Amino acid sequence: MTTAVLPAGYTARSPVPADCQAIFALVSAYNTAVIGSADCTLADITNGIVDPGFEPRTDGWLVFDRDVPVGYGTAFGKGHRDVTEIEVLSRDAMVAGWLFDRSLRRAAEMGREAGHAEVTVDSYVYRADASLRALLSEHEFSTGTTFNRMRIDHTEPVAAPDVPAGYVVRRGMDDDQARRIAHDVIIDCFRGQFGFVVRPHEEWLEAREAYANSSWSQFTLLELDGKAVAFRDCSDRDVEIENCGHIDGLGVVESARGRGLATYLLRDAFALDAAAGRAGTILHVDTNNPTPALHLYQSVGMRPTLVIEGWRRTMPATP
């Protein structure tokens, strides 16, 4: 791996919570240049820095030209640190190259420290971001999947759907047992999908508690004969920018698929968002999902508004 260098006079240091506003401004400007909107909130930035799985001192880099932030990068180790998600953001090619170098080295280091011979590195990029896609390709990444951002607008009241016969709706995870069940269902639904790595339960709980836009009151389970078989997790992530509800996750366990449970959970979310005065509902779907999720979302009136690619590289964890 070649060693990239920063332009003369540039400096870098680890981010701290006090940097969140500056990082937010940097990310917003970058995204606006690429896709025409900020697609980011201050809470998004804060959530990333306070996440218990992220150690800013070793896993983040904020680059300055004099006192002006010009680049930001992170390496987020997942699970047993055999998978790392990296983010690199700078409009300066030399800075972006330096951040890629640092993030890949940190990914290898985390894997090595955990005893792995190799690590998988994932990165997510807007399809419209030609420069970042080229940089990923230069670093031997290849596309692993594509995500569509889906949206439906609520211009009038939405009728609440009937609960599927025989099922019980459970809203809000108010105790430790309910939250354990919620986590287990998420794992059952998403295991094996691109980018999903099981988090230790306590770390998952701590992360949810730290996220500014999440609340247990927006977590919904469907139960059959006392067993949870489907879930929907919503947040206020898109309220600030677009006055929309956001579905962070939706899944049905394999044994209960094909019964209309996902359709019910979607229509239920639409009705709740419309009643709350939201302009619409937004979610992201992996187009390579083992279930026909994209077709499902289109069938209930959602439309794609943005394409994000998931890129991946597996590399040795050796120095």
Side-chain angles (χ1 to χ4, degrees):
M1 187 184 299
T2 59
T3 302
V5 296
L6 287 174
Y10 283 46
T11 59
R13 62 166 172 79
S14 301
V16 297
D19 293 318
C20 286
Q21 186 68 56
I23 296 171
F24 168 58
L26 176 67
V27 174
S28 298
Y30 183 92
N31 290 349
T32 299
V34 174
I35 62 170
S37 67
D39 194 32
C40 178
T41 66
L42 180 59
D44 292 331
I45 303 301
T46 303
N47 290 348
I49 287 185
V50 303
D51 191 295
F54 179 67
E55 174 49 67
R57 182 180 58 84
T58 56
D59 304 341
W61 306 269
L62 186 57
V63 180
F64 296 85
D65 176 8
R66 299 176 180 84
D67 294 327
V68 179
V70 293
Y72 184 56
T74 59
F76 186 90
K78 296 182 173 181
H80 299 292
R81 301 306 186 258
D82 53 335
V83 177
T84 297
E85 182 180 323
I86 67 169
E87 178 182 8
V88 169
L89 182 148
S90 178
R91 300 183 71 179
D92 185 308
M94 291 183 67
V95 173
W98 185 87
L99 289 167
F100 247 98
D101 180 274
R102 288 298 180 274
S103 61
L104 290 180
R105 288 177 184 275
R106 179 56 183 149
E109 183 179 49
M110 283 191 280
R112 190 165 61 250
E113 291 171 348
H116 303 298
E118 63 180 21
V119 292
T120 296
V121 185
D122 293 338
S123 190
Y124 299 89
V125 56
Y126 299 119
R127 176 166 285 176
D129 194 340
S131 60
L132 186 51
R133 293 172 71 245
L135 190 58
L136 284 160
S137 182
E138 291 169 9
H139 283 80
E140 302 178 33
F141 283 72
S142 59
T143 52
T145 194
T146 300
F147 296 85
N148 280 355
R149 179 172 298 164
M150 309 292 291
R151 173 172 175 152
I152 186 170
D153 295 319
H154 306 314
T155 57
E156 56 188 32
V158 177
D162 293 331
V163 178
Y167 290 85
V168 174
V169 179
R170 184 172 182 177
R171 303 187 190 276
M173 304 296 104
D174 296 328
D175 56 56
D176 291 341
Q177 181 181 8
R179 293 171 186 182
R180 168 64 71 177
I181 292 170
H183 193 203
D184 288 344
V185 170
I186 291 173
I187 294 170
D188 287 346
C189 292
F190 287 164
R191 193 189 302 274
Q193 294 191 27
F194 186 95
F196 179 76
V197 176
V198 177
R199 300 188 79 167
H201 184 65
E202 293 304 320
E203 181 180 306
W204 177 77
L205 284 176
E206 188 179 349
R208 279 195 61 98
E209 294 289 351
Y211 289 176
N213 292 325
S214 294
S215 69
W216 292 111
S217 64
Q218 296 196 65
F219 200 106
T220 300
L221 289 176
L222 277 181
E223 297 178 343
L224 179 65
D225 297 329
K227 179 180 175 59
V229 295
F231 84 96
R232 186 190 67 231
D233 190 12
C234 297
S235 73
D236 293 333
R237 181 194 183 277
D238 291 319
V239 171
E240 180 180 335
I241 296 178
E242 303 192 58
N243 188 30
C244 286
H246 191 273
I247 300 176
D248 294 345
L250 184 150
V252 179
V253 300
E254 187 172 3
S255 62
R257 291 171 186 165
R259 304 178 188 176
L261 303 186
T263 299
Y264 164 77
L265 289 170
L266 284 168
R267 295 192 182 281
D268 182 61
F270 301 162
L272 292 170
D273 285 342
R278 305 294 178 228
T281 303
I282 294 172
L283 56 76
H284 292 83
V285 57
D286 182 349
T287 58
N288 290 320
N289 191 300
T291 65
L294 179 60
H295 174 73
L296 167 66
Y297 299 139
Q298 291 173 324
S299 73
V300 295
M302 304 193 84
R303 68 186 191 282
T305 61
L306 186 69
V307 179
I308 300 169
E309 296 176 343
W311 288 62
R312 171 167 287 179
R313 174 186 176 183
T314 299
M315 65 182 195
T318 52

